[in-house]
Amino acid sequence: MADYTAELLSDESGLCDIRITQDGKKKHMWGRSGRDRESALAKTLEAGRIPLLLGSGIGIAADLLAEQKDRPLLILDCEADILARTMLREKYRDDPNVIWITTSSAEEAAGQINELSDSFDMAIQPLRIPFYLRISPFYTQTETLLIRETGRKAEFPVWPKFQNSKPRILLLTSQYFLMGEIVSACERQSIAHMLINMDARELELEHFIGRIASAIDTFRPDFVLTVNHLGVDQEGVLNTLLHKFRLPLASWFVDNPMLILPLYRAQADSNTTIFTWDADRMDSLREMGFSNIFHLPLGTDQTRFLPSKGCTEPRWARNISFVGNSMVHKTARRLEAARLFGPLLERWKEIAEDFGGRSEPSVLNFIRSDYPELLPHYEALESPYRKLAFETLIIWQATLEYRLSCVKETLPYSPLIVGDDGWKKLLEEDGQWEYHRELSYYEDLPRFYPCSKINFNCTSQQMKGAVNQRVFDVPACNGFLLTDHRYQVERLFEPGKEIAIYHSPEEIPELIERYLHDEESRLKIISAARKRILAEHTYDSRIAGLIKCMRQTYA
């Protein structure tokens, strides 16, 4: 199954360890430290259920479970190298109560286990030995298939959806900042909602499905809402469960969905509605198989970004400031994750520079059109995670170069740059600026923005047509914004009247000079922008629009 070698170690007490070596490195040592874990695992068995060990380890759990003669013991383990050293198969060869499943196919394993469950007329209780989950995805895949089969056999209540003027929303929460704004918007509009804190990646699958099913059955929502697909498992357990309840899923993407959804391509169906902050992504989402797609831009929380009567923090008072990430560290992390080799490693900076100068939002489409000779090397990355890491690397590097070129145009005006310490590396030879560590989005920025005569903005290259959060937040708290042109901004504001825009880095100095010395124009634009934001671009408006789309699609 997995590419490794195994050793069995022991000491005078007779206790054993299994040491695994992968790629010449000793990555896992488990056994002695896992004795208590295995023992506790065996004691979690529920009455009337057949224990299924996902891996056999050194046999502690198997020994304890095999003593219970009122039910069989199933052991899923196809790690021949380990079994040859533990000799557990030989130990239980003559025990009719111990049944081994050794196929290396998750589908075949799940099929055999389900047949055994039916023949004994008892439900299965999977018992994980975490060590095995680390050396091969086979065990998690098998467990996922078993849980899906359990879901097919269970009965799920179904109720009419969207029967009232205001829906009931189950919020699948994460640590992403936007969920707090969604909760507040629901509360202000008296929209019934339940916030469930969970993450499919951190919970055992059976626990995950149990908590979700219980929340759905108790709260009886009209739909489930998540941000950036967070909390949705790649194996499709949640998707299967929602289908059973005939409960639609709304996923609001406020980051590039094409760097996330390729891992969920198999789950694209009419039960999922995608909302994207970037209208440029809608065609790509349709190509992936999603049929219900809506444009839903970012907005602001008008109760957090309140208008001020000026700068209340003199230490932040400046003519011009910029708040944003340098992308230095983000780029380095994606380069490491992509593990590039050959021409991609040699030319990724060249690709990023060219990508930044094109209107094409998709890195993959850009490679196909402008670097077709590199497409086989992209495909050679094989893992979807490495491919997405490469695509993200190109976007982040393009953002770094574009952002740096724009920020350098502000240096003659001694800007205050707020962000990560990567800026010190990028601008180490430029002395006409001040650095400030990152500020709190909630606690600091509503007070920071009004302290600059000009809040400078340059958008990430992950959105070549859409606008970012600052376009809404800065005017909402009476700050003036000078931002780069994105064509979708014209659907949201009237340029020149409600927003100040530069179309190229070369225009930046002239506009800075103009607005630094024209307070009246700054105040007029701030007032007009804030009026438009309160009327159309709050998160209250966004949630109302999302609900309208869900009702039209599923009522």
Side-chain angles (χ1 to χ4, degrees):
M1 281 293 297
D3 184 15
Y4 62 80
T5 58
E7 293 177 80
L8 191 66
L9 311 176
S10 63
D11 57 23
E12 17 328 295
S13 69
L15 293 178
C16 296
D17 288 331
I18 300 172
R19 182 164 64 195
I20 294 296
T21 303
Q22 286 182 306
D23 300 326
K25 299 179 181 179
K26 294 172 182 175
K27 290 191 172 183
H28 307 298
M29 183 180 286
W30 186 89
R32 188 181 304 120
S33 63
R35 181 183 179 90
D36 292 339
R37 182 191 297 145
E38 275 200 85
S39 179
L41 188 70
K43 294 175 182 177
T44 65
L45 184 62
E46 299 177 12
R49 304 187 72 180
I50 300 174
L52 167 66
L53 277 179
L54 300 178
S56 57
I58 61 173
I60 303 297
D63 288 343
L64 292 169
L65 291 167
E67 293 174 359
Q68 304 182 46
K69 301 300 183 181
D70 60 330
R71 69 195 80 180
L73 166 62
L74 308 186
I75 302 177
L76 176 64
D77 194 333
C78 58
E79 308 303 326
D81 199 17
I82 296 175
L83 288 169
R85 285 155 177 77
T86 63
M87 300 186 70
L88 289 175
R89 290 288 304 273
E90 288 73 13
K91 179 178 181 179
Y92 292 110
R93 184 183 301 279
D94 298 325
D95 189 335
N97 219 39
V98 178
I99 303 172
W100 291 83
I101 296 95
T102 58
T103 176
S104 60
S105 163
E107 290 77 10
E108 290 181 8
Q112 292 178 28
I113 293 165
N114 283 318
E115 287 178 6
L116 289 166
S117 173
D118 291 340
S119 65
F120 287 105
D121 197 23
M122 296 174 71
I124 299 295
Q125 182 178 352
L127 301 172
R128 289 176 163 190
I129 295 182
F131 167 69
Y132 283 79
L133 308 185
R134 293 196 295 270
I135 62 173
S136 173
F138 162 75
Y139 299 93
T140 300
Q141 292 168 359
T142 303
E143 187 183 9
T144 300
L145 292 172
L146 291 171
I147 290 173
R148 286 181 178 175
E149 180 62 23
T150 300
R152 280 192 286 269
K153 293 178 180 178
E155 293 186 4
F156 294 88
V158 176
W159 55 92
K161 310 298 191 295
F162 298 98
Q163 298 298 297
N164 300 311
S165 59
K166 294 182 179 180
R168 300 169 66 82
I169 308 175
L170 179 64
L171 302 174
L172 194 59
T173 188
S174 68
Q175 298 303 311
Y176 200 86
F177 81 96
L178 187 58
M179 190 55 76
E181 278 76 357
I182 292 173
V183 169
S184 297
C186 287
E187 290 173 347
R188 285 191 293 270
Q189 298 176 83
S190 301
I191 297 169
H193 60 281
M194 173 185 280
L195 187 66
I196 179 168
N197 284 291
M198 61 192 310
D199 188 334
R201 296 169 299 178
E202 298 176 359
L203 293 173
E204 292 196 6
L205 289 176
E206 194 168 20
H207 188 196
F208 171 75
I209 197 170
R211 285 193 60 192
I212 285 284
S214 176
I216 291 173
D217 193 27
T218 301
F219 183 63
R220 300 291 175 99
D222 292 291
F223 65 94
V224 176
L225 173 61
T226 185
V227 176
N228 284 358
H229 238 52
L230 291 168
V232 180
D233 64 292
Q234 295 172 22
E235 295 81 6
V237 173
L238 177 64
N239 187 50
T240 300
L241 186 65
L242 296 183
H243 274 277
K244 294 298 179 183
F245 282 106
R246 298 182 191 173
L247 189 61
L249 171 69
S251 191
W252 186 5
F253 279 87
V254 294
D255 285 307
N256 190 343
M258 306 315 295
L259 299 178
I260 300 170
L261 283 180
L263 301 174
Y264 298 84
R265 189 181 298 269
Q267 300 181 37
D269 58 37
S270 61
N271 198 60
T272 298
T273 292
I274 302 295
F275 294 86
T276 173
W277 97 121
D278 185 354
D280 289 342
R281 305 297 173 181
M282 297 178 74
D283 288 342
S284 297
L285 289 167
R286 289 190 186 95
E287 291 173 5
M288 287 186 64
F290 293 97
S291 55
N292 302 319
I293 309 164
F294 296 93
H295 179 217
L296 191 67
L298 292 166
T300 194
D301 184 336
Q302 71 277 17
T303 66
R304 292 185 185 274
F305 287 85
L306 293 166
S308 68
K309 296 181 180 180
C311 181
T312 60
E313 299 284 346
R315 61 196 169 106
W316 290 335
R318 296 293 190 282
N319 280 337
I320 186 167
S321 66
F322 171 70
V323 178
N325 196 285
S326 72
M327 312 309 290
V328 168
H329 304 303
K330 286 189 173 185
T331 298
R333 287 193 292 270
R334 290 300 88 198
L335 179 60
E336 181 180 3
R339 304 201 315 273
L340 301 180
F341 58 89
L344 290 184
L345 181 60
E346 296 167 2
R347 302 179 65 183
W348 67 271
K349 285 191 176 181
E350 172 194 347
I351 298 168
E353 182 179 2
D354 287 348
F355 175 75
R358 304 290 197 278
S359 60
E360 171 59 56
S362 165
V363 172
L364 180 54
N365 288 342
F366 174 70
I367 294 290
R368 286 170 176 158
S369 62
D370 287 53
Y371 289 86
E373 74 278 10
L374 296 182
L375 193 58
H377 300 281
Y378 168 85
E379 295 297 343
L381 294 175
E382 294 183 348
S383 163
Y385 299 98
R386 290 176 64 192
K387 290 179 179 178
L388 291 178
F390 169 73
E391 293 181 45
T392 310
L393 168 68
I394 299 304
I395 292 172
W396 285 173
Q397 179 65 20
T399 299
L400 184 156
E401 295 171 3
Y402 169 68
R403 192 165 278 180
L404 180 61
S405 69
C406 292
V407 168
K408 280 189 172 183
E409 296 294 334
T410 72
L411 294 183
Y413 303 92
S414 303
L416 176 61
I417 298 178
V418 179
D420 61 290
D421 61 6
W423 285 112
K424 296 179 181 179
K425 179 179 179 180
L426 294 178
L427 298 172
E428 61 183 349
E429 298 181 1
D430 299 279
Q432 296 176 294
W433 65 286
E434 296 177 75
Y435 171 75
H436 194 293
R437 61 176 177 77
E438 294 172 304
L439 292 172
S440 166
Y441 177 77
Y442 293 121
E443 300 299 325
D444 297 327
L445 289 183
R447 295 179 295 123
F448 177 84
Y449 289 145
C451 287
S452 293
K453 290 182 180 179
I454 296 176
N455 289 276
F456 185 73
N457 187 39
C458 44
T459 311
S460 167
Q461 292 291 81
Q462 73 164 317
M463 40 181 148
K464 294 185 175 181
V467 300
N468 63 16
Q469 189 73 44
R470 276 180 287 279
V471 170
F472 305 101
D473 289 343
V474 173
C477 57
N478 276 356
F480 177 80
L481 183 79
L482 175 61
T483 188
D484 48 351
H485 179 262
R486 291 292 186 266
Y487 80 89
Q488 293 174 37
V489 76
E490 295 169 16
R491 305 176 184 177
L492 305 168
F493 299 97
E494 184 178 341
K497 180 180 179 180
E498 298 173 323
I499 193 166
I501 291 173
Y502 62 91
H503 290 78
S504 68
E506 292 74 23
E507 292 182 1
I508 292 170
E510 177 186 349
L511 289 170
I512 290 176
E513 285 284 353
R514 172 186 170 185
Y515 286 113
L516 275 181
H517 300 98
D518 190 349
E519 182 180 14
E520 182 180 357
S521 291
R522 294 201 312 269
L523 293 176
K524 284 183 178 179
I525 290 175
I526 290 171
S527 177
R530 188 167 191 279
K531 182 178 180 180
R532 182 76 176 267
I533 288 167
L534 291 179
E536 300 178 17
H537 303 318
T538 65
Y539 281 117
D540 292 31
S541 297
R542 297 292 184 254
I543 292 302
L546 185 149
I547 289 171
K548 181 179 179 181
C549 291
M550 291 298 288
R551 188 183 298 277
Q552 290 174 347
T553 304
Y554 297 105

